[in-house]
Amino acid sequence: KIQMINGSAPINGKIKDMIKNAREKIMIFGAEKDLSRFYHADILEVLYDSIIDKKIIISPSQTLPQVLEKMDKKTIRLMPQSQVDNQCFILKDNDEILFFLRNSTHGAHTVFALWAESKALINTLHTLFEYSWNNSEVCY
């Protein structure tokens, strides 16, 4: 299945559903602006309350954003060397992906994402996430 989702409210609802229905893990790759939007949409609150394994990569970033201070620092990595701030995606249990085609670098009313259960897309972005995780900096 593949679904195009337009606008902040439906995208945020889908992300919350993904977190609530996760059985094993959630992996988030995004810029500080993306995480700030997730915070204001109460997505991070849902993530804090979840007992699943979590990993977050912030790219680009030099320091831990204030909105993530409640998170276990071991679950967060920083990629300061990245020059790109328009990449954002969320993986759930290696069976769902939400990939922003227009993220927080655009206005809230123009945010646009692709949600999929495509194994090829999920495996590709999972590989990218793991490579990025292994090549990013531990958050202190």
Side-chain angles (χ1 to χ4, degrees):
K1 295 178 189 175
I2 294 178
Q3 177 183 15
M4 303 304 275
I5 309 172
N6 190 23
S8 293
I11 291 172
N12 293 340
K14 184 57 129 174
I15 295 169
K16 287 177 185 178
D17 286 345
M18 289 172 69
I19 295 169
K20 289 176 184 174
N21 294 321
R23 294 178 313 280
E24 296 175 25
K25 64 184 170 184
I26 289 285
M27 302 160 93
I28 300 173
F29 185 105
E32 287 185 52
K33 278 184 171 182
D34 296 310
L35 295 167
S36 179
R37 281 201 181 164
F38 295 164
Y39 172 79
H40 291 291
D42 295 326
I43 291 169
L44 294 182
E45 202 61 42
V46 175
L47 190 62
Y48 298 144
D49 295 340
S50 175
I51 60 170
I52 57 166
D53 185 30
K54 317 162 184 87
K55 286 185 177 179
I56 299 172
I57 298 174
I58 308 160
S59 174
S61 184
Q62 300 282 338
T63 59
L64 178 68
Q66 188 175 3
V67 298
L68 291 177
E69 287 183 351
K70 289 168 65 175
M71 292 285 292
D72 180 357
K73 307 302 181 269
K74 295 176 194 158
T75 66
I76 303 168
R77 296 278 176 102
L78 306 174
M79 291 190 67
Q81 72 277 11
S82 177
Q83 302 297 317
V84 182
D85 67 351
N86 65 351
Q87 299 172 2
C88 184
F89 61 89
I90 300 165
L91 284 159
K92 176 199 143 251
D93 292 335
N94 287 331
D95 64 9
E96 286 183 52
I97 180 91
L98 186 111
F99 182 80
F100 282 82
L101 301 174
R102 284 195 215 146
N103 70 339
S104 64
T105 58
H106 295 81
H109 63 285
T110 62
V111 176
F112 190 68
L114 173 121
W115 172 86
E117 294 178 323
S118 162
K119 284 294 180 195
L121 184 57
I122 291 166
N123 289 340
T124 299
L125 289 174
H126 185 265
T127 300
L128 173 63
F129 188 94
E130 289 298 333
Y131 175 81
S132 298
W133 182 264
N134 292 331
N135 290 287
S136 57
E137 297 178 5
V138 175
C139 189
Y140 296 104

